[in-house]
Amino acid sequence: MTQRAHVPWLYLLVPLAFLVAFTYVPVVSMVVHSFTDWDGLSRDREFVGAENYVDLFTRPQLFQVFAVSLFYLAGALLQTGLALYFATVLSFGTRLRGLFKGIFFFPYLINGVAIGFVFLYFFQPGGTLDTTLAVFGVQPRLWLGDPDLVNTSLAGVSVWRYAGLNLVLFLGAIQSIPPHLYEAATLDGANRWQQFRHIIVPSIKPIISLCVILAVSGALSVFEIPFIMTGGANNSETFVIQTIKLAFTFNKVGLASAAAVVLLVIVLLVTWLQRTLVPEERVEQS
């Protein structure tokens, strides 16, 4: 019996070793570096205490980039709404449902670097978007060169890429709802909207909460798409891009580590606040 109790831990040994080596050790190392003045190359790491954190919070311009995250947050909420809508439509026996699921989910499978380069051509002057809009009489715009348009354009790319992931999560949750609930609702004269409001939404509330948490944390830590498409130019720099520049352009690894710790704390705090304000309820399906 004792030997059998150790068997699961033997299977978990390798995954746990990878988890510790590639997650917890780097996090601890990042926290340690945040209290040092290190350039990332030299062997000497001067301990400076909380000086990096004081530097962060006394330079408001370092936090002004969080305003860019509002565009991605709005896009994330939009993609969540669109994913919920299409998941609901596809759950009601739509023809070619498998094809549509594949079409929606396919962008999430594409490498982010490839997506960035594809949309560089899409948004370039005289490119695909300008050519399409010209049919409707819309003049060409500098979609990535205009500071008033660049963040909206980049957030639109994020919506296109990640909506499919939310759709699959919602669709799986909706399909787990017992069919007899729909049958009872239909017998009572409930239409599709009423079934969505009183059956689907309450039943998949934990998944909706999860998607909102992912949306908020993703909006705060967005990096890949703006870094590839603009490099943070034209008022599109995010907090993570700024942190990367601090570490690898200005060789301030200690300050960059402090910024990363602050971002981690903010994400955890936002998640905790959401869990506190909107507690997860146990859904009874009968």
Side-chain angles (χ1 to χ4, degrees), residues 21-35:
F22 295 105
T23 301
Y24 295 111
V25 171
V27 168
V28 173
S29 178
M30 178 182 67
V31 174
V32 172
H33 290 153
S34 70
F35 294 102

Side-chain angles (χ1 to χ4, degrees), residues 38-40 56 59 62 65 222-223 226-257 259-260:
W38 185 42
D39 61 4
L56 279 176
R59 293 166 61 183
L62 294 178
V65 292
V222 65
F223 166 71
F227 182 77
I228 294 168
M229 296 182 66
T230 65
N234 301 320
N235 199 32
S236 64
E237 187 174 70
T238 64
F239 191 81
V240 177
I241 292 177
Q242 179 179 257
T243 302
I244 294 295
K245 288 183 177 180
L246 285 174
F248 299 104
T249 302
F250 301 105
N251 295 327
K252 295 183 177 181
V253 175
L255 184 60
S257 298

Side-chain angles (χ1 to χ4, degrees), residues 1 3 11 46 49 74 102-104 106 108-109 117 129 162 169 174 189 200 203 212 215 228 236 239 280 285:
M1 187 69 180
Q3 292 180 348
Y11 285 105
E46 181 184 355
I103 292 174
F104 278 111
F106 178 71
Y108 182 72
L109 301 177
F117 282 112
L129 182 58
Y162 292 105
L169 293 175
I174 292 174
I200 294 178
S203 299
V212 172
I228 294 168
S236 64
F239 191 81
E280 184 176 325
Q285 297 178 347

Side-chain angles (χ1 to χ4, degrees), residues 6 10 30 34 55 84 110 138 145 149 154 205 234 258 264:
H6 291 300
L10 292 176
M30 178 182 67
S34 70
D55 193 10
L84 182 57
I110 304 177
V138 179
L149 294 175
L154 295 175
K205 204 171 182 180
N234 301 320
L264 176 62

Side-chain angles (χ1 to χ4, degrees), residues 16-209:
L16 288 175
F18 279 111
L19 179 65
V20 172
F22 295 105
T23 301
Y24 295 111
V25 171
V27 168
V28 173
S29 178
M30 178 182 67
V31 174
V32 172
H33 290 153
S34 70
F35 294 102
T36 64
D37 183 14
W38 185 42
D39 61 4
L41 296 174
S42 64
R43 294 184 178 181
D44 298 328
R45 296 177 175 85
E46 181 184 355
F47 180 78
V48 294
E51 183 177 321
N52 289 324
Y53 294 96
V54 173
D55 193 10
L56 279 176
F57 288 100
T58 55
R59 293 166 61 183
Q61 64 270 23
L62 294 178
F63 286 93
Q64 289 175 355
V65 292
F66 273 121
V68 176
S69 298
L70 296 177
F71 290 91
Y72 294 95
L73 179 59
L77 296 178
L78 174 63
Q79 82 185 17
T80 302
L82 289 174
L84 182 57
Y85 170 77
F86 285 111
T88 304
V89 172
L90 293 176
S91 66
F92 286 125
T94 306
R95 294 182 61 185
L96 301 178
R97 179 173 57 183
L99 175 63
F100 286 116
K101 285 193 294 184
I103 292 174
F104 278 111
F105 189 66
F106 178 71
Y108 182 72
L109 301 177
I110 304 177
N111 181 271
V113 176
I115 290 176
F117 282 112
V118 167
F119 275 93
L120 277 175
Y121 288 101
F122 181 79
F123 285 120
Q124 71 177 357
T128 306
L129 182 58
D130 283 341
T131 303
T132 303
L133 294 178
V135 177
F136 303 96
V138 179
Q139 297 297 321
R141 305 286 185 88
L142 294 175
W143 300 102
L144 300 179
D146 187 345
D148 296 329
L149 294 175
V150 61
N151 290 314
T152 303
S153 302
L154 295 175
V157 178
S158 295
V159 171
W160 180 83
R161 184 185 183 190
Y162 292 105
L165 174 63
N166 289 338
L167 181 138
V168 170
L169 293 175
F170 288 141
L171 196 58
I174 292 174
Q175 290 177 342
S176 68
I177 300 175
H180 66 81
L181 294 179
Y182 297 113
E183 297 173 0
T186 303
L187 291 176
D188 290 337
N191 55 32
R192 293 299 191 191
W193 164 249
Q194 291 170 330
Q195 292 179 24
F196 171 79
R197 180 181 177 184
H198 298 289
I199 297 178
I200 294 178
V201 171
S203 299
I204 67 171
K205 204 171 182 180
I207 303 299
I208 295 176
S209 178

